[in-house]
């Protein structure tokens, strides 16, 4: 039974500076998030600038090298012309060798096609070992076809009305250089991505430390006034002049405060999980809550679990999550409406789903993406921490999931807690 006194909760008014401070903290939390995305953009723009710069630079290099290679092939052509046209002398071979070496130096594949369409000689064409003559011809024909598409041939006028052509393609180096910027870009993106991951995980770890510190400190600080309050309760009890129901009510509130303190200190340490009957815990806690919120909110618990199932949970923290979600639901309904909690075990999964639905004002898609960010609140006096903590508790400590299953503006919202993998069948 709940006495009248506990139903009528005393109304606390926050001191104006407290409100101001809360708003200030909230907006500073929001600022951190906005700044984070600004940094992301700046880094993105720098990366893009570097990539474009490198692309242009390599493109210039490629162009230069291409011109140089063309010149080399022309030199080769010139050499051939010289060799063919010059009267035979003993320097013939030396000259030819020098020219050929120059082309070889750049590893430019080239094929000379004479006036009878004979493809010979060729330079820098790779053949497999022990190649048969037929195979060799086929490879040359193939290469020639490729070369014809790549560059216009260089004409070699060998005199007496005879003309030959040198076909050539880019050297291996040049081809590599062409693809290099893309390789570079991918490497840069990969490094950028890894850096971002490292950065954000470091930041998350930092945030976690702040949360843990805050929670532990709060719990610690509350300890002293709580034990003093407990002593006062005993004192009131021993005084016959004071109505004993007052002491009883104060004691209830002190016990509740102690529960909150335990929850806070639980956040810091790795909470102990036990196999608990989920349905029982949920329905017991909903009944507990029901008595503490406005009677205009109707609660319903629908247990659709076929058999009694247990999951590994920390009762205190888990109840806190349910409480946070239900309190938000009550806020969203303006204190009038229905909250339905449904427990299900979807077939073929080792999961338990706990859906908490309300008939409140719902939320927009844009807000849905932000509600788990610390500091996000649409309420005048909201801290925007409830769902952040709830998500942390479910996901980090219970290896479960907490998300908005559905929400429609003006109709209501359903949150889903999915406890996974810990269920004993
Ligand atoms: N059941 C709900 N229906 C509509 N909006 C909700 C609901 N639950 C949470 N929200 C939205 O998410 C925000 C963040 O919730 P929470 O983290 O608990 O912080 P707070 O309650 O302090 O605002 C709320 O301000 C509200 O806009
Ligand atoms: Mg809340």
């Amino acid at each position: 039974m709940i006495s009248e006194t506990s139903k009528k909760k005393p109304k606390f008014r926050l001191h104006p500076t407290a409100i101001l401070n809360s708003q200030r903290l909230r907006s500073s939390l929001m600022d951190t998030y906005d700044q984070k995305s600004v940094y992301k953009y700046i880094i993105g723009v720098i990366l893009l600038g570097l990539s474009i710069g490198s692309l242009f630079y390599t493109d210039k290099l490629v162009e230069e090298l291409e011109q140089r290679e063309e010149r080399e092939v022309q030199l080769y052509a010139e050499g051939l012309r010289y060799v063919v046209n010059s009267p035979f002398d003993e320097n013939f071979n030396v000259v030819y060798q020098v020219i050929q070496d120059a082309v070889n130096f750049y590893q430019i594949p080239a094929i000379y096609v004479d006036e009878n369409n004979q493809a010979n000689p060729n330079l820098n064409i790779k053949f497999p070992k022990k190649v048969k003559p037929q195979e060799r011809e086929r490879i040359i024909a193939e290469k020639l076809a490729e070369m014809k598409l790549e560059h216009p041939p260089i004409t070699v006028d060998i005199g007496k009305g005879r003309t030959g052509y040198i076909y050539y393609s880019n050297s291996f180096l040049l081809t590599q250089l062409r693809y290099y910027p893309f390789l570079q870009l991918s490497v840069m993106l990969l490094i950028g991505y890894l850096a971002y991951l490292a950065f954000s995980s470091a930041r998350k770890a930092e945030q976690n430390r702040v949360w843990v510190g805050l929670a532990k400190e709060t719990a610690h600080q509350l300890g002293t006034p709580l034990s003093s309050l407990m002593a006062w309760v005993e004192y009131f009890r021993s005084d016959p002049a004071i109505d004993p129901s007052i002491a009883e009510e104060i004691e209830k509130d002190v016990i509740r405060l102690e529960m909150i303190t335990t929850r806070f200190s639980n956040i810091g340490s790795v909470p102990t999980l036990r196999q608990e009957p989920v349905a029982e815990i949920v329905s017991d806690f909903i009944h507990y809550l029901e008595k503490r919120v406005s009677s205009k909110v109707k609660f319903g618990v629908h247990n659709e679990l076929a058999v009694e199932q247990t999951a590994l949970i920390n009762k205190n923290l888990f109840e806190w999550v349910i409480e946070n979600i239900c309190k938000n639901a009550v806020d969203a309904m303006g204190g009038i409406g229905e909250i339905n909690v449904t427990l299900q075990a979807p077939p073929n999964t080792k999961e338990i789903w706990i859906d908490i639905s309300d008939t409140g004002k719902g939320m927009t898609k844009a807000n849905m993406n932000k509600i788990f960010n610390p500091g996000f609140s649409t309420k005048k006096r909201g801290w925007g921490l409830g769902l952040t903590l709830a998500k942390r508790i479910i996901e980090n400590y219970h290896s479960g999931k907490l998300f908005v299953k559905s929400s429609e503006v003006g109709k209501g919202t359903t949150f889903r807690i999915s406890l996974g993998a810990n269920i004993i069948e």
Side-chain angles (χ1 to χ4, degrees), residues 343-359:
L343 290 112
Q344 288 168 279
N348 307 323
T349 60
K350 287 183 175 175
E351 283 177 12
I352 293 182
W353 290 347
I354 302 146
D355 290 354
I356 304 174
S357 310
D358 64 57
T359 54

Side-chain angles (χ1 to χ4, degrees), residues 26-244:
R26 205 175 67 195
S27 72
S28 94
L29 276 169
M30 298 295 278
D31 282 353
T32 325
Y33 275 84
D34 290 347
Q35 266 169 19
K36 191 186 80 185
S37 48
V38 170
Y39 286 138
K40 242 192 315 201
Y41 285 124
I42 292 176
I43 292 173
V45 167
I46 291 175
L47 261 180
L48 200 73
L50 282 174
S51 317
I52 292 175
S54 126
L55 262 170
F56 271 107
Y57 182 64
T58 3
D59 202 54
K60 216 179 109 226
L61 282 182
V62 164
E63 214 172 281
E64 267 175 29
L65 198 64
E66 214 163 31
Q67 280 169 5
R68 200 172 332 171
E69 290 193 354
E70 192 186 330
R71 244 191 357 259
E72 288 314 312
V73 180
Q74 264 162 354
L75 185 71
Y76 180 55
E78 205 57 45
L80 281 183
R81 206 175 301 151
Y82 175 84
V83 166
V84 176
N85 289 330
S86 69
F88 181 79
D89 69 35
E90 59 211 33
N91 290 331
F92 173 90
N93 264 331
V94 178
V95 174
Y96 182 69
Q97 204 57 47
V98 168
I99 292 161
Q100 198 175 1
D101 281 353
V103 184
N104 271 343
F105 177 77
Y106 285 98
Q107 296 280 307
I108 305 165
I111 299 173
Y112 176 75
V113 180
D114 69 13
E115 72 276 12
N116 300 322
N117 235 357
Q118 290 293 313
N120 192 33
N122 64 69
L123 283 176
N124 298 316
I125 307 271
K126 296 220 164 46
F127 299 101
K129 273 183 194 163
K130 285 192 207 153
V131 67
K132 288 188 189 124
Q134 266 178 345
E135 179 77 349
R136 210 181 146 84
E137 262 169 42
R138 194 185 55 76
I139 293 174
I140 290 181
E142 245 172 44
K143 290 275 175 218
L144 196 61
E146 282 173 26
M147 288 171 178
K148 281 181 179 170
L149 294 177
E150 218 172 307
H151 297 285
I154 286 166
T155 315
V156 191
D157 175 13
I158 52 171
K160 295 169 196 141
R162 291 183 308 164
T163 324
Y165 297 96
I166 298 176
Y167 292 92
Y168 68 103
S169 60
N170 289 340
S171 68
F172 181 58
L173 182 73
L174 187 59
T175 317
Q176 265 186 326
L177 203 61
R178 266 208 187 290
Y179 293 112
Y180 178 69
F182 298 102
L183 181 78
Q184 201 181 23
L185 198 72
S186 326
V187 169
M188 258 162 142
L189 284 178
L190 188 74
I191 290 175
Y193 178 64
L194 288 179
Y196 173 73
L197 278 189
F199 180 68
S200 77
S201 82
R203 203 192 53 229
K204 271 191 191 137
E206 167 75 25
Q207 267 180 1
N208 272 336
R209 273 197 298 279
V210 174
W211 288 124
V212 168
L214 197 73
K216 274 221 176 295
E217 184 58 20
T218 311
H220 180 73
Q221 300 251 351
L222 278 175
T224 323
L226 270 180
S227 44
S228 145
L229 268 177
M230 218 44 186
W232 277 106
V233 170
E234 289 310 314
Y235 175 79
F236 287 156
R237 222 177 239 140
S238 63
D239 189 340
I242 296 173
D243 178 358

Side-chain angles (χ1 to χ4, degrees), residues 186-358:
S186 326
V187 169
M188 258 162 142
L189 284 178
L190 188 74
I191 290 175
Y193 178 64
L194 288 179
Y196 173 73
L197 278 189
F199 180 68
S200 77
S201 82
R203 203 192 53 229
K204 271 191 191 137
E206 167 75 25
Q207 267 180 1
N208 272 336
R209 273 197 298 279
V210 174
W211 288 124
V212 168
L214 197 73
K216 274 221 176 295
E217 184 58 20
T218 311
H220 180 73
Q221 300 251 351
L222 278 175
T224 323
L226 270 180
S227 44
S228 145
L229 268 177
M230 218 44 186
W232 277 106
V233 170
E234 289 310 314
Y235 175 79
F236 287 156
R237 222 177 239 140
S238 63
D239 189 340
I242 296 173
D243 178 358
S245 71
I246 292 180
E248 202 180 301
E249 283 310 317
I250 297 178
E251 188 175 24
K252 268 190 204 155
D253 282 333
V254 172
I255 289 172
R256 177 138 173 76
L257 277 175
E258 270 174 345
M259 188 166 88
I260 294 171
T261 316
T262 319
R263 289 169 177 178
F264 264 96
S265 60
N266 270 347
I267 280 195
S269 43
V270 177
T272 42
L273 304 179
R274 275 201 207 98
Q275 287 292 343
E276 307 264 17
V278 190
E280 198 182 311
I281 289 194
V282 170
S283 82
D284 283 357
F285 191 71
I286 292 292
H287 287 127
Y288 164 88
L289 271 183
E290 198 172 11
K291 293 172 196 154
R292 280 160 182 78
V293 298
S294 147
S295 56
K296 287 179 188 145
V297 177
K298 296 273 166 273
F299 281 86
V301 179
H302 315 275
N303 182 2
E304 291 173 11
L305 300 178
V307 285
E308 194 186 291
Q309 276 177 318
T310 61
L312 270 180
I313 52 183
N314 178 292
K315 192 163 173 272
N316 253 327
L317 290 178
F318 183 69
E319 286 176 349
W320 189 16
V321 171
I322 305 272
E323 185 176 338
N324 265 303
I325 297 173
C326 288
K327 277 192 172 160
N328 281 342
V330 173
D331 289 344
M333 302 188 298
I336 306 169
E338 264 182 51
I339 295 179
N340 281 298
V341 184
T342 311
L343 290 112
Q344 288 168 279
N348 307 323
T349 60
K350 287 183 175 175
E351 283 177 12
I352 293 182
W353 290 347
I354 302 146
D355 290 354
I356 304 174
S357 310
D358 64 57

